[in-house]
Amino acid sequence: MKRALITGITGQDGSYLTELLLGKGYEVHGIIRRSSTFNTGRIDHLYQDPHERDQRLVLHYGDLTDSSRLVTLIEKVRPDEVYHLAAQSHVRVSFDEPEYTGNTTGVGTARLLEAIRMVGVDTRYYQASSSEMFGATPPPQNEDTPFYPRSPYGAAKVYGYWMARNYREAHDLFAVNGILFNHESPRRGETFVTRKIARAAARIKAGLEQHVYLGNLDAVRDWGYAQEYVEGMWRMLQAPEPADYVLATGTATTVREFTQYCFERVGLDWEEHVRFDETYLRPTEVDALIGDASKAQRDLGWKAQTMPEQLAHLMVDADLAALQK
Ligand code: NAP
Ligand code: F7E
């Protein structure tokens, strides 16, 4: 039985990846942060009583800022595969908390890689890199596109990217960078724009609110479905050699168009319900991200299936269903 360690297991991607790996027969270990309130909502349906025999999902307290804990966890779990997903992942928030973002999203990666090296465990390592690293470089973007980050988050991810590359080249670690374009789902955090809009469309339809406040409607993103992207992460670690891959749908959608898809789904005119609030603008914006995932298709047989309009519909449907419950 293979053993995987997931940082960020309580996040959107962590929850889908855990489902995928448990389904493949893995023993899955996840790092969670100690919190005064429960933070395991996305994986509660997978929880296994530690008193049961054959427990295949094990949760450990830990934090990316605590290097000694990362060492003891790598030593204790001795994973065959490490999926490093944990991060302060909100771009707008990273402008307010640049130091914290650098410490977790950037240096946290170095701490984890160094823990793997110090323990000397033979493992394969997945780095959650991001299309935000391309920033101002015009689309289409692929594995050879130069980075030009436009936020503290993007800059921290560039550091993490190069640390993973360096541990591959300097220490012979099987380390890969998955350069993932935006991927969304009903489990997406409520302050990312797709979920914010889908949730608002459902709540406005239900009569619970009247308006949603948004920032830049002109930004172009390449939005795919998170459940498909975690399959791509797994495939990267099964490849014969470590390499870096873009995962994307290859499509361009503006925030305005995504809003229209969501409101159309509930039979409403979006222009009557969307208002502008400048607090959602960023000091520097990433205007357009459109990925070219042909390398992943060629080498890994991975291709995005769900396109943005379908994604918008499934997200709105899920929020409507949650309200009806
Ligand atoms: P997410 O939903 O924001 O989840 C982030 C996870 O990291 C959560 O489990 C969070 O724990 C954990 N975390 C945050 N700070 C931590 C710390 N100091 N110590 C330990 N754990 C910490 O993110 P996601 O959308 O699943 O994305 C997964 C990864 O892919 C992230 O690294 C993100 O930056 C990257 N990425 C995401 C996208 C995308 O479109 N979703 C695209 C490219 C790259 P709590 O639950 O306790 O907050
Ligand atoms: O913004 C615009 C905003 O916060 C998308 C993270 O997963 O993907 C994500 O980062 C766009 C931006 O995602 C609002 O200005 C307008 O242009 O949903 P977002 P993001 O910044 O693209 C990358 C790949 C990651 O790696 C990150 O971890 O939407 N926008 N109005 C808004 N954005 C938000 N959040 N809220 C608004 O009201």
Side-chain angles (χ1 to χ4, degrees):
M1 189 193 295
K2 273 195 186 173
R3 197 175 308 131
L5 176 66
I6 304 177
T7 73
I9 194 170
T10 56
Q12 170 188 258
D13 292 4
S15 67
Y16 284 117
L17 182 64
T18 303
E19 283 171 3
L20 180 84
L21 297 181
L22 288 174
K24 289 185 183 297
Y26 279 60
E27 182 179 300
V28 177
H29 293 254
I31 300 181
I32 63 169
R33 297 198 278 185
R34 196 273 155 181
S35 160
S36 66
T37 51
F38 288 123
N39 58 1
T40 52
R42 292 191 181 97
I43 50 169
D44 281 348
H45 61 295
L46 303 170
Y47 177 78
Q48 294 170 345
D49 188 331
H51 306 99
E52 276 176 21
R53 288 181 58 193
D54 305 326
Q55 188 194 8
R56 286 202 295 119
L57 174 59
V58 186
L59 300 179
H60 309 266
Y61 285 117
D63 197 290
L64 291 175
T65 56
D66 183 352
S67 43
S68 59
R69 179 57 171 154
L70 295 177
V71 171
T72 57
L73 278 174
I74 294 287
E75 177 71 61
K76 184 174 175 184
V77 177
R78 302 198 77 84
D80 300 295
E81 295 173 5
V82 175
Y83 294 87
H84 178 37
L85 309 182
Q88 190 304 89
S89 72
H90 202 284
V91 174
R92 177 68 193 80
V93 172
S94 80
F95 287 97
D96 299 330
E97 300 189 354
E99 180 185 333
Y100 177 76
T101 303
N103 193 14
T104 52
T105 306
V107 182
T109 299
R111 292 188 187 100
L112 183 60
L113 285 164
E114 190 58 5
I116 291 168
R117 191 190 68 80
M118 284 168 68
V119 173
V121 65
D122 183 16
T123 194
R124 293 185 170 206
Y125 175 90
Y126 174 86
Q127 170 66 18
S129 285
S130 166
S131 54
E132 272 294 304
M133 301 187 305
F134 299 125
T137 311
Q141 293 104 352
N142 68 18
E143 294 81 2
D144 299 320
T145 302
F147 300 142
Y148 188 155
R150 295 269 284 171
S151 65
Y153 168 81
K157 281 289 181 188
V158 170
Y159 174 73
Y161 169 94
W162 281 111
M163 288 305 283
R165 286 276 299 253
N166 185 253
Y167 274 67
R168 182 161 87 210
E169 293 164 13
H171 305 298
D172 214 18
L173 177 67
F174 190 112
V176 308
N177 281 289
I179 307 173
L180 272 52
F181 282 62
N182 299 54
H183 46 282
E184 320 292 313
S185 74
R187 297 183 197 170
R188 185 59 142 151
E190 289 86 347
T191 62
F192 294 96
V193 81
T194 54
R195 181 74 196 287
K196 181 173 171 180
I197 298 165
R199 187 168 174 269
R203 289 176 64 81
I204 292 168
K205 179 68 181 176
L208 296 173
E209 51 197 59
Q210 277 295 308
H211 298 106
V212 59
Y213 291 83
L214 298 175
N216 177 14
L217 301 184
D218 295 322
V220 171
R221 289 292 183 274
D222 178 333
W223 280 298
Y225 185 23
Q227 194 172 28
E228 295 165 10
Y229 284 51
V230 301
E231 167 78 25
M233 294 177 187
W234 177 77
R235 289 192 191 193
M236 287 179 214
L237 289 197
Q238 314 314 309
E241 297 296 331
D244 305 326
Y245 296 95
V246 159
L247 298 185
T249 69
T251 63
T253 306
T254 60
V255 174
R256 182 180 290 99
E257 286 165 334
F258 196 91
T259 309
Q260 190 184 335
Y261 298 151
C262 288
F263 279 82
E264 272 171 7
R265 186 66 171 177
V266 291
L268 295 174
D269 178 355
W270 71 272
E271 290 183 85
E272 291 175 12
H273 299 281
V274 172
R275 289 187 174 172
F276 173 71
D277 183 340
E278 65 178 12
T279 54
Y280 299 114
L281 298 178
R282 287 131 198 229
T284 40
E285 175 64 288
V286 170
D287 294 330
L289 294 173
I290 310 164
D292 167 10
S294 46
K295 181 180 176 189
Q297 184 171 3
R298 188 184 65 235
D299 294 358
L300 307 174
W302 183 90
K303 191 174 188 315
Q305 303 297 326
T306 306
M307 294 298 131
E309 186 169 5
Q310 200 185 345
L311 177 67
H313 292 172
L314 77 82
M315 289 176 69
V316 172
D317 291 352
D319 273 317
L320 279 173
L323 282 178
Q324 279 155 13
K325 265 192 198 163

